[in-house]
Short mmCIF file of all heavy atoms in Angstrom, two decimals:
data_model
loop_
_atom_site.label_atom_id
_atom_site.label_comp_id
_atom_site.label_asym_id
_atom_site.label_seq_id
_atom_site.Cartn_x
_atom_site.Cartn_y
_atom_site.Cartn_z
N MET R 1 0.85 -1.19 0.00
CA MET R 1 0.00 0.00 0.00
C MET R 1 0.89 1.25 0.00
O MET R 1 1.95 1.25 0.61
CB MET R 1 -0.90 -0.02 1.23
CG MET R 1 -2.00 0.97 1.16
SD MET R 1 -3.03 0.55 -0.25
CE MET R 1 -4.54 1.20 0.28
N PHE R 2 0.45 2.26 -0.68
CA PHE R 2 1.14 3.56 -0.75
C PHE R 2 2.52 3.46 -1.40
O PHE R 2 3.43 4.19 -1.03
CB PHE R 2 1.25 4.21 0.63
CG PHE R 2 -0.06 4.32 1.35
CD1 PHE R 2 -0.26 3.64 2.54
CD2 PHE R 2 -1.10 5.07 0.82
CE1 PHE R 2 -1.48 3.73 3.20
CE2 PHE R 2 -2.32 5.16 1.47
CZ PHE R 2 -2.51 4.49 2.67
N THR R 3 2.66 2.57 -2.36
CA THR R 3 3.91 2.47 -3.12
C THR R 3 4.05 3.70 -4.00
O THR R 3 3.15 4.04 -4.75
CB THR R 3 3.92 1.20 -3.99
OG1 THR R 3 3.83 0.06 -3.13
CG2 THR R 3 5.19 1.10 -4.81
N THR R 4 5.18 4.37 -3.86
CA THR R 4 5.43 5.55 -4.70
C THR R 4 6.24 5.14 -5.93
O THR R 4 6.95 4.14 -5.92
CB THR R 4 6.19 6.64 -3.92
OG1 THR R 4 7.43 6.09 -3.47
CG2 THR R 4 5.38 7.13 -2.75
N THR R 5 6.09 5.93 -6.96
CA THR R 5 6.80 5.67 -8.21
C THR R 5 7.49 6.94 -8.69
O THR R 5 7.19 8.04 -8.21
CB THR R 5 5.82 5.20 -9.30
OG1 THR R 5 4.89 6.24 -9.56
CG2 THR R 5 5.10 3.93 -8.90
N THR R 6 8.38 6.78 -9.63
CA THR R 6 9.06 7.91 -10.23
C THR R 6 9.46 7.57 -11.66
O THR R 6 9.72 6.40 -11.95
CB THR R 6 10.31 8.33 -9.43
OG1 THR R 6 10.90 9.47 -10.04
CG2 THR R 6 11.34 7.21 -9.37
N THR R 7 9.51 8.57 -12.50
CA THR R 7 10.04 8.39 -13.85
C THR R 7 11.46 8.96 -13.93
O THR R 7 12.11 8.87 -14.96
CB THR R 7 9.16 9.10 -14.90
OG1 THR R 7 9.08 10.49 -14.57
CG2 THR R 7 7.77 8.50 -14.95
N ARG R 8 11.93 9.51 -12.83
CA ARG R 8 13.22 10.19 -12.79
C ARG R 8 14.39 9.27 -13.12
O ARG R 8 15.39 9.70 -13.67
CB ARG R 8 13.41 10.81 -11.40
CG ARG R 8 14.53 11.79 -11.29
CD ARG R 8 14.65 12.40 -9.90
NE ARG R 8 15.09 11.39 -8.96
CZ ARG R 8 14.42 11.03 -7.86
NH1 ARG R 8 13.30 11.61 -7.54
NH2 ARG R 8 14.89 10.11 -7.06
N LEU R 9 14.28 7.98 -12.82
CA LEU R 9 15.38 7.04 -13.03
C LEU R 9 15.41 6.42 -14.43
O LEU R 9 16.38 5.79 -14.80
CB LEU R 9 15.30 5.90 -12.00
CG LEU R 9 15.27 6.32 -10.53
CD1 LEU R 9 14.99 5.11 -9.65
CD2 LEU R 9 16.55 7.00 -10.14
N ASP R 10 14.34 6.62 -15.18
CA ASP R 10 14.20 5.97 -16.48
C ASP R 10 15.19 6.56 -17.49
O ASP R 10 15.06 7.72 -17.86
CB ASP R 10 12.78 6.12 -17.00
CG ASP R 10 12.52 5.33 -18.27
OD1 ASP R 10 13.46 4.69 -18.79
OD2 ASP R 10 11.38 5.35 -18.74
N PRO R 11 16.17 5.77 -17.95
CA PRO R 11 17.14 6.31 -18.91
C PRO R 11 16.51 6.68 -20.24
O PRO R 11 17.02 7.54 -20.95
CB PRO R 11 18.16 5.17 -19.07
CG PRO R 11 17.44 3.95 -18.63
CD PRO R 11 16.41 4.37 -17.64
N ASP R 12 15.39 6.05 -20.59
CA ASP R 12 14.75 6.30 -21.88
C ASP R 12 13.63 7.34 -21.79
O ASP R 12 13.11 7.76 -22.83
CB ASP R 12 14.19 5.00 -22.45
CG ASP R 12 15.26 3.94 -22.60
OD1 ASP R 12 16.38 4.30 -23.03
OD2 ASP R 12 14.99 2.78 -22.28
N LYS R 13 13.22 7.70 -20.58
CA LYS R 13 12.13 8.68 -20.38
C LYS R 13 10.93 8.33 -21.26
O LYS R 13 10.40 9.15 -21.99
CB LYS R 13 12.61 10.11 -20.69
CG LYS R 13 13.85 10.53 -19.94
CD LYS R 13 13.58 10.68 -18.47
CE LYS R 13 14.81 11.15 -17.73
NZ LYS R 13 14.93 10.63 -16.41
N GLU R 14 10.48 7.08 -21.14
CA GLU R 14 9.46 6.54 -22.03
C GLU R 14 8.03 6.97 -21.73
O GLU R 14 7.20 7.00 -22.62
CB GLU R 14 9.49 5.01 -22.01
CG GLU R 14 10.76 4.44 -22.57
CD GLU R 14 10.84 2.95 -22.37
OE1 GLU R 14 11.04 2.51 -21.22
OE2 GLU R 14 10.72 2.23 -23.38
N VAL R 15 7.72 7.24 -20.45
CA VAL R 15 6.34 7.53 -20.08
C VAL R 15 6.22 8.92 -19.47
O VAL R 15 7.19 9.50 -18.99
CB VAL R 15 5.78 6.48 -19.10
CG1 VAL R 15 5.83 5.08 -19.70
CG2 VAL R 15 6.48 6.51 -17.76
N PHE R 16 4.97 9.45 -19.50
CA PHE R 16 4.71 10.75 -18.90
C PHE R 16 4.78 10.65 -17.38
O PHE R 16 5.55 11.34 -16.73
CB PHE R 16 3.34 11.27 -19.34
CG PHE R 16 3.28 11.58 -20.81
CD1 PHE R 16 2.64 10.72 -21.69
CD2 PHE R 16 3.87 12.72 -21.31
CE1 PHE R 16 2.59 11.00 -23.05
CE2 PHE R 16 3.82 13.02 -22.67
CZ PHE R 16 3.18 12.15 -23.53
N GLU R 17 3.94 9.78 -16.79
CA GLU R 17 3.96 9.54 -15.35
C GLU R 17 3.19 8.26 -15.05
O GLU R 17 2.32 7.86 -15.80
CB GLU R 17 3.40 10.71 -14.56
CG GLU R 17 1.90 10.90 -14.71
CD GLU R 17 1.36 12.03 -13.84
OE1 GLU R 17 1.81 12.19 -12.69
OE2 GLU R 17 0.48 12.74 -14.33
N TRP R 18 3.54 7.64 -13.93
CA TRP R 18 2.87 6.41 -13.50
C TRP R 18 1.71 6.78 -12.59
O TRP R 18 1.84 7.66 -11.75
CB TRP R 18 3.84 5.50 -12.74
CG TRP R 18 4.92 4.97 -13.62
CD1 TRP R 18 6.19 5.45 -13.72
CD2 TRP R 18 4.82 3.89 -14.53
NE1 TRP R 18 6.90 4.72 -14.65
CE2 TRP R 18 6.07 3.76 -15.16
CE3 TRP R 18 3.80 3.02 -14.89
CZ2 TRP R 18 6.32 2.78 -16.12
CZ3 TRP R 18 4.05 2.05 -15.85
CH2 TRP R 18 5.29 1.94 -16.45
N ASN R 19 0.58 6.07 -12.76
CA ASN R 19 -0.59 6.28 -11.91
C ASN R 19 -1.22 4.94 -11.57
O ASN R 19 -1.14 3.98 -12.35
CB ASN R 19 -1.63 7.16 -12.61
CG ASN R 19 -1.16 8.59 -12.72
OD1 ASN R 19 -0.97 9.27 -11.73
ND2 ASN R 19 -0.96 9.05 -13.94
N TRP R 20 -1.85 4.91 -10.41
CA TRP R 20 -2.57 3.71 -9.97
C TRP R 20 -4.03 3.86 -10.36
O TRP R 20 -4.66 4.87 -10.06
CB TRP R 20 -2.45 3.56 -8.45
CG TRP R 20 -1.04 3.30 -8.01
CD1 TRP R 20 -0.14 4.23 -7.58
CD2 TRP R 20 -0.38 2.04 -7.94
NE1 TRP R 20 1.04 3.62 -7.26
CE2 TRP R 20 0.93 2.28 -7.47
CE3 TRP R 20 -0.77 0.73 -8.25
CZ2 TRP R 20 1.84 1.25 -7.29
CZ3 TRP R 20 0.15 -0.29 -8.06
CH2 TRP R 20 1.44 -0.03 -7.59
N TYR R 21 -4.59 2.83 -11.03
CA TYR R 21 -5.97 2.86 -11.50
C TYR R 21 -6.72 1.64 -10.97
O TYR R 21 -6.20 0.52 -11.02
CB TYR R 21 -6.03 2.81 -13.03
CG TYR R 21 -5.47 4.02 -13.71
CD1 TYR R 21 -4.12 4.07 -14.08
CD2 TYR R 21 -6.27 5.11 -14.00
CE1 TYR R 21 -3.60 5.19 -14.72
CE2 TYR R 21 -5.75 6.24 -14.64
CZ TYR R 21 -4.42 6.26 -14.99
OH TYR R 21 -3.89 7.36 -15.62
N SER R 22 -7.97 1.86 -10.51
CA SER R 22 -8.80 0.74 -10.13
C SER R 22 -9.22 -0.02 -11.38
O SER R 22 -9.21 0.53 -12.49
CB SER R 22 -10.04 1.22 -9.37
OG SER R 22 -10.90 1.91 -10.26
N LYS R 23 -9.60 -1.28 -11.20
CA LYS R 23 -9.99 -2.09 -12.37
C LYS R 23 -11.23 -1.51 -13.05
O LYS R 23 -11.42 -1.69 -14.24
CB LYS R 23 -10.20 -3.55 -11.98
CG LYS R 23 -11.34 -3.82 -11.03
CD LYS R 23 -11.38 -5.29 -10.66
CE LYS R 23 -12.53 -5.71 -9.81
NZ LYS R 23 -12.84 -4.91 -8.67
N GLU R 24 -12.06 -0.77 -12.30
CA GLU R 24 -13.25 -0.16 -12.88
C GLU R 24 -12.92 1.16 -13.59
O GLU R 24 -13.75 1.69 -14.32
CB GLU R 24 -14.30 0.14 -11.79
CG GLU R 24 -14.81 -1.06 -11.04
CD GLU R 24 -13.90 -1.47 -9.87
OE1 GLU R 24 -13.04 -0.68 -9.45
OE2 GLU R 24 -14.06 -2.61 -9.40
N ASN R 25 -11.74 1.69 -13.36
CA ASN R 25 -11.40 3.01 -13.88
C ASN R 25 -10.08 3.01 -14.66
O ASN R 25 -9.33 3.99 -14.61
CB ASN R 25 -11.34 4.00 -12.71
CG ASN R 25 -11.41 5.44 -13.18
OD1 ASN R 25 -12.03 5.73 -14.19
ND2 ASN R 25 -10.76 6.33 -12.45
N LEU R 26 -9.80 1.91 -15.37
CA LEU R 26 -8.58 1.86 -16.18
C LEU R 26 -8.67 2.91 -17.29
O LEU R 26 -9.78 3.25 -17.73
CB LEU R 26 -8.39 0.47 -16.78
CG LEU R 26 -8.01 -0.63 -15.79
CD1 LEU R 26 -8.09 -2.00 -16.48
CD2 LEU R 26 -6.64 -0.40 -15.22
N PRO R 27 -7.56 3.45 -17.75
CA PRO R 27 -7.60 4.47 -18.81
C PRO R 27 -8.35 3.98 -20.05
O PRO R 27 -8.19 2.83 -20.46
CB PRO R 27 -6.12 4.70 -19.13
CG PRO R 27 -5.39 4.25 -17.93
CD PRO R 27 -6.19 3.15 -17.33
N GLU R 28 -9.16 4.85 -20.61
CA GLU R 28 -9.93 4.51 -21.81
C GLU R 28 -9.05 4.00 -22.93
O GLU R 28 -9.43 3.11 -23.69
CB GLU R 28 -10.69 5.74 -22.31
CG GLU R 28 -12.10 5.80 -21.83
CD GLU R 28 -12.84 6.97 -22.45
OE1 GLU R 28 -12.79 7.14 -23.70
OE2 GLU R 28 -13.45 7.71 -21.68
N GLY R 29 -7.86 4.56 -23.04
CA GLY R 29 -6.95 4.18 -24.11
C GLY R 29 -6.57 2.71 -24.12
O GLY R 29 -6.16 2.18 -25.15
N LEU R 30 -6.70 2.03 -22.98
CA LEU R 30 -6.36 0.61 -22.94
C LEU R 30 -7.29 -0.24 -23.80
O LEU R 30 -6.93 -1.35 -24.18
CB LEU R 30 -6.38 0.10 -21.49
CG LEU R 30 -5.08 0.20 -20.75
CD1 LEU R 30 -5.26 -0.06 -19.26
CD2 LEU R 30 -4.03 -0.74 -21.30
N SER R 31 -8.46 0.28 -24.11
CA SER R 31 -9.40 -0.51 -24.92
C SER R 31 -9.12 -0.37 -26.42
O SER R 31 -9.74 -1.06 -27.22
CB SER R 31 -10.84 -0.10 -24.62
OG SER R 31 -11.04 1.26 -24.96
N ARG R 32 -8.20 0.52 -26.82
CA ARG R 32 -7.85 0.64 -28.24
C ARG R 32 -7.10 -0.60 -28.71
O ARG R 32 -6.39 -1.24 -27.93
CB ARG R 32 -7.00 1.89 -28.48
CG ARG R 32 -7.77 3.18 -28.30
CD ARG R 32 -6.93 4.35 -28.68
NE ARG R 32 -5.76 4.42 -27.82
CZ ARG R 32 -5.25 5.52 -27.31
NH1 ARG R 32 -5.79 6.67 -27.59
NH2 ARG R 32 -4.20 5.48 -26.54
N GLN R 33 -7.21 -0.91 -29.97
CA GLN R 33 -6.62 -2.12 -30.54
C GLN R 33 -5.12 -2.25 -30.25
O GLN R 33 -4.64 -3.31 -29.90
CB GLN R 33 -6.85 -2.16 -32.06
CG GLN R 33 -6.37 -3.43 -32.72
CD GLN R 33 -7.07 -4.67 -32.21
OE1 GLN R 33 -8.26 -4.66 -31.93
NE2 GLN R 33 -6.33 -5.76 -32.09
N LYS R 34 -4.38 -1.14 -30.35
CA LYS R 34 -2.93 -1.23 -30.15
C LYS R 34 -2.54 -1.55 -28.71
O LYS R 34 -1.40 -1.88 -28.44
CB LYS R 34 -2.24 0.06 -30.61
CG LYS R 34 -2.60 1.30 -29.81
CD LYS R 34 -1.87 2.51 -30.38
CE LYS R 34 -2.25 3.79 -29.68
NZ LYS R 34 -1.55 4.93 -30.26
N ASN R 35 -3.49 -1.49 -27.79
CA ASN R 35 -3.22 -1.79 -26.38
C ASN R 35 -3.78 -3.14 -25.93
O ASN R 35 -3.69 -3.49 -24.76
CB ASN R 35 -3.81 -0.69 -25.49
CG ASN R 35 -3.12 0.63 -25.68
OD1 ASN R 35 -1.90 0.70 -25.66
ND2 ASN R 35 -3.89 1.68 -25.86
N MET R 36 -4.37 -3.90 -26.84
CA MET R 36 -5.08 -5.12 -26.45
C MET R 36 -4.19 -6.15 -25.76
O MET R 36 -4.63 -6.80 -24.82
CB MET R 36 -5.78 -5.74 -27.66
CG MET R 36 -6.99 -4.95 -28.07
SD MET R 36 -7.99 -4.50 -26.64
CE MET R 36 -9.58 -4.96 -27.16
N ASN R 37 -2.95 -6.33 -26.20
CA ASN R 37 -2.07 -7.29 -25.54
C ASN R 37 -1.82 -6.89 -24.10
O ASN R 37 -1.80 -7.73 -23.19
CB ASN R 37 -0.73 -7.41 -26.28
CG ASN R 37 -0.87 -8.13 -27.60
OD1 ASN R 37 -1.84 -8.84 -27.82
ND2 ASN R 37 0.08 -7.93 -28.48
N ARG R 38 -1.61 -5.60 -23.86
CA ARG R 38 -1.37 -5.12 -22.50
C ARG R 38 -2.61 -5.27 -21.64
O ARG R 38 -2.55 -5.67 -20.49
CB ARG R 38 -0.87 -3.69 -22.53
CG ARG R 38 0.58 -3.63 -22.98
CD ARG R 38 1.00 -2.23 -23.34
NE ARG R 38 2.42 -2.15 -23.61
CZ ARG R 38 2.99 -2.48 -24.76
NH1 ARG R 38 2.25 -2.92 -25.74
NH2 ARG R 38 4.29 -2.36 -24.94
N LEU R 39 -3.77 -4.95 -22.20
CA LEU R 39 -5.02 -5.10 -21.45
C LEU R 39 -5.26 -6.55 -21.09
O LEU R 39 -5.68 -6.86 -19.97
CB LEU R 39 -6.19 -4.54 -22.26
CG LEU R 39 -7.56 -4.59 -21.57
CD1 LEU R 39 -7.53 -3.83 -20.24
CD2 LEU R 39 -8.64 -4.03 -22.48
N GLU R 40 -4.97 -7.45 -22.01
CA GLU R 40 -5.12 -8.89 -21.73
C GLU R 40 -4.20 -9.31 -20.57
O GLU R 40 -4.61 -10.05 -19.69
CB GLU R 40 -4.78 -9.69 -22.99
CG GLU R 40 -4.92 -11.18 -22.82
CD GLU R 40 -4.50 -11.92 -24.08
OE1 GLU R 40 -4.94 -11.54 -25.17
OE2 GLU R 40 -3.71 -12.88 -23.95
N THR R 41 -2.97 -8.82 -20.56
CA THR R 41 -2.03 -9.14 -19.48
C THR R 41 -2.50 -8.55 -18.16
O THR R 41 -2.42 -9.21 -17.11
CB THR R 41 -0.61 -8.64 -19.83
OG1 THR R 41 -0.23 -9.22 -21.08
CG2 THR R 41 0.40 -9.03 -18.76
#
């Protein structure tokens, strides 16, 4: 619980920021076709 995250250590600076989402409130973008493998995982 209360695990903090940071993008500061990422050498590739790949993401904007990390966020925790409930299963009922996952980002809408996850339902797009290009995200289907990740959504399945």
Side-chain angles (χ1 to χ4, degrees):
M1 193 62 153
F2 307 116
T3 298
T4 59
T5 62
T6 182
T7 58
R8 193 178 69 238
L9 305 172
D10 187 358
D12 303 319
K13 306 292 182 213
E14 295 173 289
V15 301
F16 293 104
E17 70 176 321
W18 293 99
N19 289 296
W20 295 95
Y21 294 91
S22 69
K23 65 183 184 313
E24 299 84 16
N25 197 30
L26 289 171
E28 264 185 50
L30 270 168
S31 62
R32 290 185 299 221
Q33 185 61 37
K34 65 181 177 180
N35 293 312
M36 287 314 229
N37 288 341
R38 285 167 173 82
L39 182 58
E40 181 183 312
T41 303

